[in-house]
Amino acid sequence: MSQTPQLVAAAGDSAGRAGPLPRLARLAYGGDYNPEQWPESVWVEDVELMRVAGVNLVSVGIFAWALLEPAEGEFEFGWFDRLLDLLHDGGIGVDLATPTAVPPAWFRRRHPQARLVDRHGATLGGGARQSFCPSSPAYAEASARITEQLARRYAGHPALVLWHSHNEYGGANALCYCATSAEAFRAWLRDRHGDDLDRLNASWGTTFWGQRYSDWAEIEPPYAAPTSVNPTQQLDFLRFSSDAHLANFRRERDILHRLCPGVPVTTNFMIANCKTIDYWRWAAEVDVVSNDHYLRAEEPDNHIELSMCADLTRAVAGGRPWLLMEHATSAVNWQPRNIAKRPGELRRNSLAHLARGAESALFFQWRASRFGAEKFHSAMLPHGGTDTRIWREVVALGADLPSLEPLRGTRVVADAAVLWDWESWWALELDWRPSVDLDYRERMAAYYERLWRDRLTVDFAHPERALDGYRLVVVPSLYLTTPAAAENLRRYVAGGGTLLVSYFSGIADADDAVHPGGHPGALRELLGLGVQEFLPLRSGETVRLGADGDDPAGELVGDVWAEVVVPDGATPVLSYLDGPAAGGPAVTRHAFGSGHAWYVSTRLDAANLAPVLRAAYRDAGLVPPDGAPAGVELVRRAGADGSRFLVAINHTDREVELPGTTGTDLLDGSFHRGACRVPAGGVRVLRG
């Protein structure tokens, strides 16, 4: 069978855009393929069905280390050769994985010192994936060996489109406390602190509780202890652990670059859901950013969380196109309740990722497994085969995607920026904070939901990166605030920007030391206020906010947190009507330079944030799109050639009308002038 047109060089792309995968001529569609679970007679059927579904890319080899290297240093590639040839003959491109997330049983037996050890000193067993110490020299040697063998053998294979290093780094073995990790941690600390033990002691504040170190050998990982362990020690261990996984990725990537130049290398991130990996640091290391996303099935309006993860992935990718490496056609087996997606949800979820910058729709997995831990996980080809709703929806989505080619290479148009920082997340949720209810991701989700419901598209940004061009910047949580971040925000507001900051931000520096001079530390001058006392609330306790105590209709309700706020230039906008801070300012606004800085000192949910954000929008000169019904997602995209697109996704069960919209729908070719009707659960992609 000859090669099909969907696998061509970048020059063959009719749009003239190579995108993130130069060897693939169109949007990528497919998913994880694990043929080792099936007899070879099934492979032929799989490839034929992939062609029916419109699949053009599959990820292979992710869990195949034990079959590719059945004994240490002994390799069996014959079956893999046949597989790749079969896929190529069928016109299916290959995202070729290094199988290093699953060291074989022989590795654990021969290298027991490479086993994962938890914080309590328990050695963890096998029978799972990622059951190894990320700092193990034996693992480094073995993973480099299998990576090099694969690269040498398949560098020139015509099916090869992308290299896929490992699988979900840090997903199951984020932290290891074995003796090898302890030694690696000490080496990392010596590098971070310039081999200066006095500098480490100062950074960690070891004069507290008499923890001072006089020899590097005295330093341990933050093992389980009788009471709270030094928070800066814990913070540095989290940094070290993220870097340990990054070192493993770099090793594999460098081998692949050396032996297979010109083919991009990625690894699948778990953005917004993997707390322990600092993806800002990782982003520059991959040739193309890719992400796995699984809908939180039980959450109402979970499509908003999907949008948040997609926007964050695009931000980590620097605004460039990225790859949706895994998502689910329906149920996800590892969630507490294996809830199936409803008809049409598969399509909406996939197109929402594409709307926000993805140039692929890839799933876990192609064919549902009959055995193993994920046999109840949905797939493109379900247990019921081709006579199923899921299969029909998979085929229909594959037929839709070619019509969306004009989106390739265009950029999402954002209205506002939200700051996100993994290190601040780590530091905020260490033990012995003022309240156990301090929850980084919850604050991110609440503010993001408000912006989403107001139909404003968000770019996420690192606190120290330039914010020029955004009318509004929102800081839902930034407990750990470096001087560079504080200066970045100061410069932004002074230049005319509008900033909104939520409580318990600006408090500590990169070493988790409280900024001197009182709270909110690094942001005091910018916000024009001081916080004299934190007032965490009891479980279930609420506080009322208002501009006038005689106007209950204008009241807002907060919970979890309150503060004694003392303005120093800021103007109170809302005050506490009751609770421990009754009579004091709750929300303030500060004119600073040419801009304004807002401060919200309590936890408001998305609904209660509405009037506060509306006021900030006015300062920023932002006018949310008007006229679209609730539950309709709107994303604008623009091309360098002046092309403009509007993606409208209807998450409701009724048809809706969007006024003021004109354009041709890429999906069905219909033309709309002045208004556009979007079917219940449907999607329009208008080119205007």
Side-chain angles (χ1 to χ4, degrees):
M1 186 180 297
S2 62
Q3 184 178 356
T4 61
Q6 58 196 17
L7 272 174
V8 296
D13 182 354
S14 61
R17 296 184 294 267
L21 300 178
R23 296 188 178 192
L24 201 64
R26 62 175 177 82
L27 296 169
Y29 187 53
D32 285 21
Y33 182 37
N34 299 292
E36 61 270 23
Q37 299 178 13
W38 306 93
E40 290 193 31
S41 59
V42 176
W43 300 0
V44 176
E45 177 189 0
D46 281 333
V47 172
E48 289 303 319
L49 289 175
M50 288 176 189
R51 291 172 61 83
V52 170
V55 168
N56 66 343
L57 184 68
V58 293
S59 303
V60 297
I62 293 174
F63 304 120
W65 193 348
L67 297 176
L68 295 169
E69 189 180 5
E72 190 165 16
E74 298 177 12
F75 301 95
E76 293 185 4
F77 290 117
W79 70 276
F80 212 56
D81 293 345
R82 296 191 296 277
L83 169 68
L84 266 60
D85 290 346
L86 178 65
L87 290 167
H88 173 65
D89 288 344
I92 312 297
V94 167
D95 168 31
L96 182 50
T98 61
T100 52
V102 284
W106 59 255
F107 176 83
R108 292 194 305 277
R109 183 182 180 192
R110 290 179 64 90
H111 305 285
Q113 74 282 6
R115 289 175 179 255
L116 198 66
V117 175
D118 71 13
R119 192 180 184 187
H120 298 274
T123 300
L124 306 185
R129 61 185 186 181
Q130 296 180 324
S131 54
F132 64 89
C133 166
S135 299
S136 163
Y139 172 77
E141 180 181 353
S143 61
R145 182 174 60 242
I146 187 64
T147 299
E148 183 164 340
Q149 289 288 327
L150 286 166
R152 290 188 183 281
R153 191 171 189 93
Y154 298 113
H157 199 285
L160 181 62
V161 169
L162 176 69
W163 284 105
H164 183 308
S165 175
H166 199 77
N167 183 70
E168 298 182 338
Y169 278 101
N173 63 341
L175 310 175
C176 182
Y177 296 82
C178 71
T180 301
S181 290
E183 188 59 39
F185 181 43
R186 286 187 282 270
W188 182 91
L189 289 171
R190 295 182 79 145
D191 182 65
R192 177 176 176 83
H193 295 281
D195 203 22
D196 185 341
L197 202 52
D198 288 338
R199 179 174 161 185
L200 177 136
N201 278 304
S203 172
W204 285 16
T206 56
T207 52
F208 184 83
W209 279 0
Q211 299 169 26
R212 186 171 181 81
Y213 298 101
S214 58
D215 191 296
W216 290 99
E218 297 168 355
I219 300 173
E220 299 175 334
Y223 299 131
T227 187
S228 179
V229 174
N230 186 318
T232 318
Q233 180 181 357
Q234 295 187 63
L235 184 56
D236 267 356
F237 190 72
L238 288 163
R239 290 170 173 142
F240 152 75
S241 298
S242 179
D243 283 356
H245 290 288
L246 183 55
N248 286 325
F249 169 74
R250 285 171 172 157
R251 183 185 309 109
E252 293 188 14
R253 178 206 60 195
D254 290 350
I255 292 170
L256 297 170
H257 279 173
R258 174 169 53 85
L259 298 176
C260 189
V263 177
V265 181
T266 191
T267 186
N268 43 340
F269 293 170
M270 298 172 287
I271 284 177
N273 294 312
C274 182
K275 179 180 175 182
T276 54
I277 298 293
D278 182 355
Y279 289 116
W280 290 124
R281 279 182 56 77
W282 281 61
E285 304 288 348
V286 297
D287 296 327
V288 55
V289 166
S290 64
N291 190 50
D292 294 353
H293 180 267
Y294 290 98
L295 208 65
R296 298 184 173 200
E298 288 195 81
E299 289 187 0
D301 295 331
N302 50 21
H303 51 272
I304 300 177
E305 188 269 345
L306 182 157
S307 297
M308 184 179 81
C309 291
D311 283 342
L312 182 56
T313 306
R314 185 182 69 255
V316 166
R320 295 180 295 276
W322 54 277
L323 300 177
L324 175 61
M325 188 62 72
E326 292 182 24
H327 70 313
T329 58
S330 187
V332 177
N333 74 291
W334 42 262
Q335 292 185 6
R337 295 169 184 83
N338 204 359
I339 296 173
K341 292 183 180 181
R342 305 315 302 147
E345 195 172 359
L346 179 161
R347 181 176 187 261
R348 286 197 305 279
N349 291 166
S350 299
L351 297 185
H353 283 291
L354 265 65
R356 295 178 184 273
E359 291 201 354
S360 67
L362 305 174
F363 296 91
F364 181 85
Q365 58 180 324
W366 162 253
R367 182 184 283 267
S369 302
R370 291 186 56 242
F371 43 77
E374 295 185 290
K375 56 182 171 287
F376 297 120
H377 196 296
S378 60
M380 300 178 78
L381 183 62
H383 290 296
T386 57
D387 189 21
T388 56
R389 174 182 64 84
I390 291 297
W391 171 253
R392 288 188 286 273
E393 291 193 19
V394 163
V395 173
L397 178 59
D400 275 340
L401 291 181
S403 66
L404 298 178
E405 283 299 308
L407 288 180
R408 292 183 72 201
T410 64
R411 296 292 186 105
V412 172
V413 178
D415 303 291
V418 174
L419 299 195
W420 182 292
D421 182 36
W422 273 274
E423 290 197 2
S424 190
W425 186 359
W426 299 342
L428 175 75
E429 296 180 7
L430 293 175
D431 40 10
W432 289 16
R433 296 324 190 199
S435 172
V436 297
D437 295 320
L438 290 167
D439 185 329
Y440 184 87
R441 204 178 183 287
E442 182 278 330
R443 283 294 78 196
M444 289 292 170
Y447 276 89
Y448 183 90
E449 179 182 345
R450 183 67 264 153
L451 291 158
W452 189 97
R453 292 192 184 281
D454 291 337
R455 297 178 191 85
L456 295 177
T457 301
V458 163
D459 278 346
F460 285 92
H462 187 278
E464 296 181 3
R465 294 182 186 170
L467 300 168
D468 302 336
Y470 296 110
R471 294 182 179 181
L472 174 68
V473 173
V474 177
V475 184
S477 178
L478 195 62
Y479 162 76
L480 191 157
T481 306
T482 65
E487 176 57 27
N488 188 39
L489 295 178
R490 183 183 185 282
R491 186 167 52 247
Y492 166 74
V493 177
T498 299
L499 177 73
L500 189 148
V501 178
S502 183
Y503 61 88
F504 207 52
S505 295
I507 306 302
D509 64 16
D511 291 326
D512 197 30
V514 172
H515 284 292
H519 308 310
L523 302 178
R524 260 195 333 272
E525 179 191 9
L526 174 57
L527 295 174
L529 54 84
V531 174
Q532 287 194 352
E533 192 172 11
F534 302 135
L535 302 172
L537 303 180
R538 295 175 175 85
S539 177
E541 185 180 2
T542 61
V543 289
R544 294 181 300 123
L545 284 63
D548 184 344
D550 297 326
D551 181 18
E555 291 179 6
L556 303 179
V557 177
D559 65 1
V560 167
W561 191 267
E563 294 176 341
V564 177
V565 175
V566 180
D568 185 13
T571 301
V573 176
L574 295 174
S575 299
Y576 288 105
L577 303 180
D578 58 13
V587 176
T588 62
R589 175 178 179 267
H590 184 220
F592 186 87
S594 300
H596 295 88
W598 289 72
Y599 185 64
V600 181
S601 67
T602 186
R603 189 176 84 164
L604 302 175
D605 64 14
N608 280 276
L609 281 170
V612 177
L613 266 294
R614 278 199 302 269
Y617 298 158
R618 287 194 293 271
D619 268 355
L622 277 177
V623 180
D626 191 24
V632 177
E633 180 175 355
L634 301 177
V635 183
R636 290 169 293 138
R637 298 191 61 152
D641 59 358
S643 58
R644 295 291 184 269
F645 302 88
L646 174 68
V647 183
I649 305 175
N650 183 0
H651 295 283
T652 76
D653 58 3
R654 65 190 185 282
E655 184 180 72
V656 300
E657 181 172 276
L658 302 179
T661 52
T662 296
T664 300
D665 187 359
L666 298 182
L667 290 165
D668 66 8
S670 59
F671 179 73
H672 305 264
R673 183 185 299 278
C676 172
R677 301 194 73 83
V678 186
V683 181
R684 297 282 189 194
V685 183
L686 299 182
R687 181 170 191 166

